[in-house]
mmCIF file of all heavy atoms in Angstrom:
data_model
loop_
_atom_site.group_PDB
_atom_site.id
_atom_site.type_symbol
_atom_site.label_atom_id
_atom_site.label_comp_id
_atom_site.label_asym_id
_atom_site.label_seq_id
_atom_site.Cartn_x
_atom_site.Cartn_y
_atom_site.Cartn_z
ATOM 1 N N TRP A 1203 5.478 -10.824 10.299
ATOM 2 C CA TRP A 1203 6.101 -11.697 11.290
ATOM 3 C C TRP A 1203 5.819 -13.168 10.989
ATOM 4 O O TRP A 1203 6.670 -14.025 11.263
ATOM 5 C CB TRP A 1203 5.627 -11.313 12.699
ATOM 6 C CG TRP A 1203 6.264 -10.043 13.193
ATOM 7 C CD1 TRP A 1203 6.880 -9.081 12.440
ATOM 8 C CD2 TRP A 1203 6.357 -9.594 14.543
ATOM 9 N NE1 TRP A 1203 7.345 -8.067 13.223
ATOM 10 C CE2 TRP A 1203 7.037 -8.347 14.525
ATOM 11 C CE3 TRP A 1203 5.924 -10.100 15.759
ATOM 12 C CZ2 TRP A 1203 7.298 -7.615 15.686
ATOM 13 C CZ3 TRP A 1203 6.189 -9.369 16.922
ATOM 14 C CH2 TRP A 1203 6.863 -8.154 16.886
ATOM 15 N N ILE A 1204 4.678 -13.473 10.415
ATOM 16 C CA ILE A 1204 4.406 -14.852 9.995
ATOM 17 C C ILE A 1204 5.417 -15.274 8.936
ATOM 18 O O ILE A 1204 5.994 -16.367 8.997
ATOM 19 C CB ILE A 1204 2.969 -14.995 9.457
ATOM 20 C CG1 ILE A 1204 1.959 -14.844 10.592
ATOM 21 C CG2 ILE A 1204 2.773 -16.352 8.762
ATOM 22 C CD1 ILE A 1204 0.513 -14.755 10.119
ATOM 23 N N TRP A 1205 5.644 -14.406 7.955
ATOM 24 C CA TRP A 1205 6.633 -14.708 6.908
ATOM 25 C C TRP A 1205 8.019 -14.855 7.522
ATOM 26 O O TRP A 1205 8.778 -15.759 7.169
ATOM 27 C CB TRP A 1205 6.625 -13.590 5.871
ATOM 28 C CG TRP A 1205 7.559 -13.793 4.708
ATOM 29 C CD1 TRP A 1205 8.917 -13.874 4.733
ATOM 30 C CD2 TRP A 1205 7.181 -13.928 3.326
ATOM 31 N NE1 TRP A 1205 9.428 -14.028 3.472
ATOM 32 C CE2 TRP A 1205 8.397 -14.076 2.584
ATOM 33 C CE3 TRP A 1205 5.983 -13.917 2.641
ATOM 34 C CZ2 TRP A 1205 8.396 -14.210 1.190
ATOM 35 C CZ3 TRP A 1205 5.996 -14.057 1.253
ATOM 36 C CH2 TRP A 1205 7.174 -14.203 0.553
ATOM 37 N N LYS A 1206 8.347 -13.958 8.449
ATOM 38 C CA LYS A 1206 9.670 -14.000 9.068
ATOM 39 C C LYS A 1206 9.896 -15.333 9.780
ATOM 40 O O LYS A 1206 10.949 -15.949 9.645
ATOM 41 C CB LYS A 1206 9.795 -12.842 10.070
ATOM 42 C CG LYS A 1206 11.196 -12.594 10.574
ATOM 43 C CD LYS A 1206 12.088 -12.016 9.494
ATOM 44 C CE LYS A 1206 13.493 -11.765 10.003
ATOM 45 N NZ LYS A 1206 14.199 -12.974 10.377
ATOM 46 N N VAL A 1207 8.900 -15.786 10.515
ATOM 47 C CA VAL A 1207 9.054 -17.033 11.270
ATOM 48 C C VAL A 1207 8.969 -18.256 10.364
ATOM 49 O O VAL A 1207 9.803 -19.158 10.436
ATOM 50 C CB VAL A 1207 7.977 -17.137 12.375
ATOM 51 C CG1 VAL A 1207 8.089 -18.490 13.096
ATOM 52 C CG2 VAL A 1207 8.118 -15.998 13.367
ATOM 53 N N GLY A 1208 7.946 -18.302 9.496
ATOM 54 C CA GLY A 1208 7.682 -19.510 8.722
ATOM 55 C C GLY A 1208 8.099 -19.473 7.274
ATOM 56 O O GLY A 1208 7.943 -20.463 6.550
ATOM 57 N N GLY A 1209 8.610 -18.339 6.819
ATOM 58 C CA GLY A 1209 8.992 -18.230 5.420
ATOM 59 C C GLY A 1209 7.792 -18.049 4.508
ATOM 60 O O GLY A 1209 6.635 -17.978 4.940
ATOM 61 N N LYS A 1210 8.081 -17.997 3.230
ATOM 62 C CA LYS A 1210 7.055 -17.739 2.225
ATOM 63 C C LYS A 1210 5.926 -18.768 2.264
ATOM 64 O O LYS A 1210 4.752 -18.430 2.082
ATOM 65 C CB LYS A 1210 7.708 -17.728 0.837
ATOM 66 C CG LYS A 1210 6.752 -17.477 -0.307
ATOM 67 C CD LYS A 1210 7.513 -17.455 -1.632
ATOM 68 C CE LYS A 1210 6.572 -17.228 -2.802
ATOM 69 N NZ LYS A 1210 7.308 -17.195 -4.093
ATOM 70 N N SER A 1211 6.266 -20.017 2.509
ATOM 71 C CA SER A 1211 5.253 -21.076 2.460
ATOM 72 C C SER A 1211 4.125 -20.855 3.465
ATOM 73 O O SER A 1211 2.975 -21.225 3.212
ATOM 74 C CB SER A 1211 5.899 -22.445 2.702
ATOM 75 O OG SER A 1211 6.495 -22.504 3.987
ATOM 76 N N ALA A 1212 4.436 -20.239 4.592
ATOM 77 C CA ALA A 1212 3.408 -20.000 5.608
ATOM 78 C C ALA A 1212 2.367 -19.000 5.098
ATOM 79 O O ALA A 1212 1.170 -19.139 5.369
ATOM 80 C CB ALA A 1212 4.044 -19.484 6.898
ATOM 81 N N ILE A 1213 2.809 -17.987 4.344
ATOM 82 C CA ILE A 1213 1.885 -17.000 3.793
ATOM 83 C C ILE A 1213 1.168 -17.551 2.570
ATOM 84 O O ILE A 1213 -0.011 -17.269 2.345
ATOM 85 C CB ILE A 1213 2.633 -15.697 3.451
ATOM 86 C CG1 ILE A 1213 3.008 -14.948 4.735
ATOM 87 C CG2 ILE A 1213 1.790 -14.805 2.554
ATOM 88 C CD1 ILE A 1213 1.821 -14.396 5.518
ATOM 89 N N VAL A 1214 1.848 -18.356 1.766
ATOM 90 C CA VAL A 1214 1.187 -18.985 0.612
ATOM 91 C C VAL A 1214 0.017 -19.842 1.077
ATOM 92 O O VAL A 1214 -1.061 -19.826 0.482
ATOM 93 C CB VAL A 1214 2.183 -19.823 -0.209
ATOM 94 C CG1 VAL A 1214 1.448 -20.660 -1.258
ATOM 95 C CG2 VAL A 1214 3.204 -18.920 -0.897
ATOM 96 N N ALA A 1215 0.197 -20.566 2.159
ATOM 97 C CA ALA A 1215 -0.897 -21.392 2.697
ATOM 98 C C ALA A 1215 -2.078 -20.526 3.104
ATOM 99 O O ALA A 1215 -3.244 -20.900 2.900
ATOM 100 C CB ALA A 1215 -0.391 -22.197 3.898
ATOM 101 N N ILE A 1216 -1.803 -19.358 3.664
ATOM 102 C CA ILE A 1216 -2.867 -18.424 4.038
ATOM 103 C C ILE A 1216 -3.552 -17.870 2.802
ATOM 104 O O ILE A 1216 -4.784 -17.816 2.718
ATOM 105 C CB ILE A 1216 -2.273 -17.300 4.907
ATOM 106 C CG1 ILE A 1216 -1.975 -17.835 6.310
ATOM 107 C CG2 ILE A 1216 -3.210 -16.098 4.970
ATOM 108 C CD1 ILE A 1216 -1.166 -16.893 7.172
ATOM 109 N N ASP A 1217 -2.763 -17.450 1.803
ATOM 110 C CA ASP A 1217 -3.330 -16.929 0.558
ATOM 111 C C ASP A 1217 -4.230 -17.958 -0.122
ATOM 112 O O ASP A 1217 -5.247 -17.610 -0.720
ATOM 113 C CB ASP A 1217 -2.210 -16.533 -0.407
ATOM 114 C CG ASP A 1217 -1.592 -15.179 -0.089
ATOM 115 O OD1 ASP A 1217 -2.225 -14.396 0.652
ATOM 116 O OD2 ASP A 1217 -0.488 -14.898 -0.587
ATOM 117 N N HIS A 1218 -3.843 -19.217 -0.044
ATOM 118 C CA HIS A 1218 -4.585 -20.283 -0.719
ATOM 119 C C HIS A 1218 -5.682 -20.897 0.137
ATOM 120 O O HIS A 1218 -6.287 -21.898 -0.256
ATOM 121 C CB HIS A 1218 -3.613 -21.368 -1.198
ATOM 122 C CG HIS A 1218 -2.736 -20.928 -2.322
ATOM 123 N ND1 HIS A 1218 -1.698 -21.689 -2.824
ATOM 124 C CD2 HIS A 1218 -2.738 -19.783 -3.065
ATOM 125 C CE1 HIS A 1218 -1.106 -21.034 -3.814
ATOM 126 N NE2 HIS A 1218 -1.725 -19.880 -3.973
ATOM 127 N N LEU A 1219 -5.929 -20.314 1.296
ATOM 128 C CA LEU A 1219 -7.013 -20.775 2.181
ATOM 129 C C LEU A 1219 -6.865 -22.244 2.559
ATOM 130 O O LEU A 1219 -7.845 -22.978 2.697
ATOM 131 C CB LEU A 1219 -8.375 -20.540 1.518
ATOM 132 C CG LEU A 1219 -8.712 -19.091 1.146
ATOM 133 C CD1 LEU A 1219 -10.027 -19.054 0.362
ATOM 134 C CD2 LEU A 1219 -8.822 -18.221 2.395
ATOM 135 N N GLU A 1220 -5.629 -22.678 2.752
ATOM 136 C CA GLU A 1220 -5.408 -24.072 3.138
ATOM 137 C C GLU A 1220 -5.951 -24.322 4.544
ATOM 138 O O GLU A 1220 -5.933 -23.428 5.397
ATOM 139 C CB GLU A 1220 -3.916 -24.403 3.081
ATOM 140 C CG GLU A 1220 -3.358 -24.399 1.666
ATOM 141 C CD GLU A 1220 -1.881 -24.742 1.610
ATOM 142 O OE1 GLU A 1220 -1.337 -25.176 2.652
ATOM 143 O OE2 GLU A 1220 -1.275 -24.573 0.538
ATOM 144 N N PRO A 1221 -6.458 -25.535 4.813
ATOM 145 C CA PRO A 1221 -7.024 -25.842 6.134
ATOM 146 C C PRO A 1221 -6.033 -25.554 7.258
ATOM 147 O O PRO A 1221 -4.860 -25.933 7.180
ATOM 148 C CB PRO A 1221 -7.349 -27.339 6.031
ATOM 149 C CG PRO A 1221 -7.562 -27.584 4.572
ATOM 150 C CD PRO A 1221 -6.580 -26.672 3.874
ATOM 151 N N ASN A 1222 -6.504 -24.871 8.282
ATOM 152 C CA ASN A 1222 -5.723 -24.575 9.487
ATOM 153 C C ASN A 1222 -4.436 -23.782 9.213
ATOM 154 O O ASN A 1222 -3.486 -23.836 10.005
ATOM 155 C CB ASN A 1222 -5.391 -25.863 10.245
ATOM 156 C CG ASN A 1222 -6.630 -26.464 10.875
ATOM 157 O OD1 ASN A 1222 -7.483 -25.751 11.389
ATOM 158 N ND2 ASN A 1222 -6.733 -27.784 10.804
ATOM 159 N N ALA A 1223 -4.426 -23.025 8.115
ATOM 160 C CA ALA A 1223 -3.251 -22.214 7.814
ATOM 161 C C ALA A 1223 -3.003 -21.167 8.900
ATOM 162 O O ALA A 1223 -1.856 -20.783 9.154
ATOM 163 C CB ALA A 1223 -3.417 -21.528 6.461
ATOM 164 N N TRP A 1224 -4.073 -20.726 9.575
ATOM 165 C CA TRP A 1224 -3.942 -19.726 10.620
ATOM 166 C C TRP A 1224 -3.645 -20.344 11.991
ATOM 167 O O TRP A 1224 -3.617 -19.637 13.000
ATOM 168 C CB TRP A 1224 -5.191 -18.848 10.696
ATOM 169 C CG TRP A 1224 -5.226 -17.840 9.598
ATOM 170 C CD1 TRP A 1224 -5.903 -17.919 8.410
ATOM 171 C CD2 TRP A 1224 -4.515 -16.593 9.565
ATOM 172 N NE1 TRP A 1224 -5.660 -16.813 7.641
ATOM 173 C CE2 TRP A 1224 -4.821 -15.973 8.325
ATOM 174 C CE3 TRP A 1224 -3.663 -15.939 10.456
ATOM 175 C CZ2 TRP A 1224 -4.295 -14.733 7.966
ATOM 176 C CZ3 TRP A 1224 -3.138 -14.704 10.098
ATOM 177 C CH2 TRP A 1224 -3.452 -14.110 8.870
ATOM 178 N N LYS A 1225 -3.388 -21.644 12.003
ATOM 179 C CA LYS A 1225 -3.007 -22.303 13.256
ATOM 180 C C LYS A 1225 -1.618 -22.933 13.148
ATOM 181 O O LYS A 1225 -1.252 -23.805 13.947
ATOM 182 C CB LYS A 1225 -4.049 -23.351 13.633
ATOM 183 C CG LYS A 1225 -5.398 -22.734 13.987
ATOM 184 C CD LYS A 1225 -6.346 -23.735 14.622
ATOM 185 C CE LYS A 1225 -7.622 -23.060 15.102
ATOM 186 N NZ LYS A 1225 -8.527 -23.976 15.818
ATOM 187 N N SER A 1226 -0.851 -22.475 12.159
ATOM 188 C CA SER A 1226 0.488 -23.020 11.958
ATOM 189 C C SER A 1226 1.444 -22.540 13.047
ATOM 190 O O SER A 1226 1.155 -21.600 13.793
ATOM 191 C CB SER A 1226 1.025 -22.578 10.592
ATOM 192 O OG SER A 1226 1.298 -21.177 10.603
ATOM 193 N N GLU A 1227 2.603 -23.185 13.137
ATOM 194 C CA GLU A 1227 3.614 -22.780 14.096
ATOM 195 C C GLU A 1227 4.118 -21.366 13.792
ATOM 196 O O GLU A 1227 4.499 -20.623 14.701
ATOM 197 C CB GLU A 1227 4.780 -23.768 14.078
ATOM 198 C CG GLU A 1227 4.463 -25.109 14.729
ATOM 199 C CD GLU A 1227 4.064 -24.940 16.195
ATOM 200 O OE1 GLU A 1227 4.795 -24.272 16.946
ATOM 201 O OE2 GLU A 1227 3.003 -25.481 16.575
ATOM 202 N N ALA A 1228 4.117 -20.993 12.504
ATOM 203 C CA ALA A 1228 4.563 -19.649 12.137
ATOM 204 C C ALA A 1228 3.612 -18.593 12.682
ATOM 205 O O ALA A 1228 4.041 -17.568 13.229
ATOM 206 C CB ALA A 1228 4.669 -19.532 10.621
ATOM 207 N N VAL A 1229 2.310 -18.834 12.550
ATOM 208 C CA VAL A 1229 1.324 -17.897 13.090
ATOM 209 C C VAL A 1229 1.432 -17.851 14.606
ATOM 210 O O VAL A 1229 1.427 -16.767 15.208
ATOM 211 C CB VAL A 1229 -0.108 -18.303 12.666
ATOM 212 C CG1 VAL A 1229 -1.134 -17.384 13.322
ATOM 213 C CG2 VAL A 1229 -0.249 -18.255 11.146
ATOM 214 N N LYS A 1230 1.561 -19.008 15.214
ATOM 215 C CA LYS A 1230 1.676 -19.092 16.669
ATOM 216 C C LYS A 1230 2.885 -18.286 17.164
ATOM 217 O O LYS A 1230 2.790 -17.496 18.120
ATOM 218 C CB LYS A 1230 1.802 -20.551 17.092
ATOM 219 C CG LYS A 1230 1.826 -20.798 18.603
ATOM 220 C CD LYS A 1230 1.755 -22.313 18.867
ATOM 221 C CE LYS A 1230 1.731 -22.618 20.372
ATOM 222 N NZ LYS A 1230 3.059 -22.423 20.978
ATOM 223 N N GLY A 1231 4.029 -18.458 16.488
ATOM 224 C CA GLY A 1231 5.228 -17.739 16.894
ATOM 225 C C GLY A 1231 5.068 -16.229 16.755
ATOM 226 O O GLY A 1231 5.497 -15.465 17.624
ATOM 227 N N ALA A 1232 4.437 -15.799 15.681
ATOM 228 C CA ALA A 1232 4.255 -14.362 15.444
ATOM 229 C C ALA A 1232 3.348 -13.732 16.496
ATOM 230 O O ALA A 1232 3.708 -12.719 17.122
ATOM 231 C CB ALA A 1232 3.678 -14.144 14.041
ATOM 232 N N VAL A 1233 2.179 -14.315 16.706
ATOM 233 C CA VAL A 1233 1.217 -13.665 17.599
ATOM 234 C C VAL A 1233 1.594 -13.827 19.067
ATOM 235 O O VAL A 1233 1.268 -12.962 19.897
ATOM 236 C CB VAL A 1233 -0.221 -14.166 17.333
ATOM 237 C CG1 VAL A 1233 -0.659 -13.783 15.925
ATOM 238 C CG2 VAL A 1233 -0.374 -15.652 17.552
ATOM 239 N N GLU A 1234 2.292 -14.895 19.424
ATOM 240 C CA GLU A 1234 2.740 -15.029 20.809
ATOM 241 C C GLU A 1234 3.771 -13.949 21.147
ATOM 242 O O GLU A 1234 3.789 -13.447 22.285
ATOM 243 C CB GLU A 1234 3.317 -16.427 21.044
ATOM 244 C CG GLU A 1234 2.240 -17.497 21.192
ATOM 245 C CD GLU A 1234 2.813 -18.855 21.559
ATOM 246 O OE1 GLU A 1234 4.049 -19.036 21.437
ATOM 247 O OE2 GLU A 1234 2.020 -19.748 21.948
ATOM 248 N N HIS A 1235 4.594 -13.570 20.191
ATOM 249 C CA HIS A 1235 5.573 -12.518 20.453
ATOM 250 C C HIS A 1235 4.912 -11.139 20.500
ATOM 251 O O HIS A 1235 5.339 -10.270 21.271
ATOM 252 C CB HIS A 1235 6.693 -12.561 19.423
ATOM 253 C CG HIS A 1235 7.707 -13.635 19.696
ATOM 254 N ND1 HIS A 1235 7.482 -14.966 19.410
ATOM 255 C CD2 HIS A 1235 8.946 -13.579 20.272
ATOM 256 C CE1 HIS A 1235 8.537 -15.679 19.771
ATOM 257 N NE2 HIS A 1235 9.437 -14.859 20.303
ATOM 258 N N LEU A 1236 3.875 -10.942 19.716
ATOM 259 C CA LEU A 1236 3.110 -9.696 19.836
ATOM 260 C C LEU A 1236 2.470 -9.609 21.220
ATOM 261 O O LEU A 1236 2.501 -8.564 21.872
ATOM 262 C CB LEU A 1236 2.028 -9.636 18.753
ATOM 263 C CG LEU A 1236 2.521 -9.328 17.337
ATOM 264 C CD1 LEU A 1236 1.392 -9.554 16.330
ATOM 265 C CD2 LEU A 1236 3.041 -7.898 17.234
ATOM 266 N N ALA A 1237 1.903 -10.726 21.664
ATOM 267 C CA ALA A 1237 1.281 -10.755 22.990
ATOM 268 C C ALA A 1237 2.312 -10.544 24.094
ATOM 269 O O ALA A 1237 2.019 -9.935 25.131
ATOM 270 C CB ALA A 1237 0.553 -12.087 23.198
ATOM 271 N N GLU A 1238 3.524 -11.037 23.880
ATOM 272 C CA GLU A 1238 4.581 -10.842 24.879
ATOM 273 C C GLU A 1238 4.891 -9.359 25.065
ATOM 274 O O GLU A 1238 5.106 -8.899 26.188
ATOM 275 C CB GLU A 1238 5.846 -11.584 24.448
ATOM 276 C CG GLU A 1238 6.996 -11.462 25.459
ATOM 277 C CD GLU A 1238 8.253 -12.193 25.021
ATOM 278 O OE1 GLU A 1238 8.168 -13.075 24.144
ATOM 279 O OE2 GLU A 1238 9.334 -11.856 25.558
ATOM 280 N N MET A 1239 4.876 -8.610 23.979
ATOM 281 C CA MET A 1239 5.121 -7.169 24.093
ATOM 282 C C MET A 1239 4.058 -6.506 24.964
ATOM 283 O O MET A 1239 4.365 -5.624 25.771
ATOM 284 C CB MET A 1239 5.117 -6.514 22.707
ATOM 285 C CG MET A 1239 6.294 -6.891 21.837
ATOM 286 S SD MET A 1239 6.534 -5.729 20.449
ATOM 287 C CE MET A 1239 4.966 -5.836 19.617
#
Side-chain angles (χ1 to χ4, degrees):
W1203 285 19
I1204 291 171
W1205 182 297
K1206 192 70 180 65
V1207 176
K1210 180 179 179 180
S1211 62
I1213 287 293
V1214 170
I1216 286 170
D1217 280 342
H1218 290 173
L1219 301 174
E1220 292 181 10
N1222 290 321
W1224 283 98
K1225 293 191 174 184
S1226 70
E1227 287 300 309
V1229 176
K1230 184 172 182 286
V1233 296
E1234 283 186 346
H1235 281 78
L1236 285 170
E1238 181 180 341
M1239 291 198 302

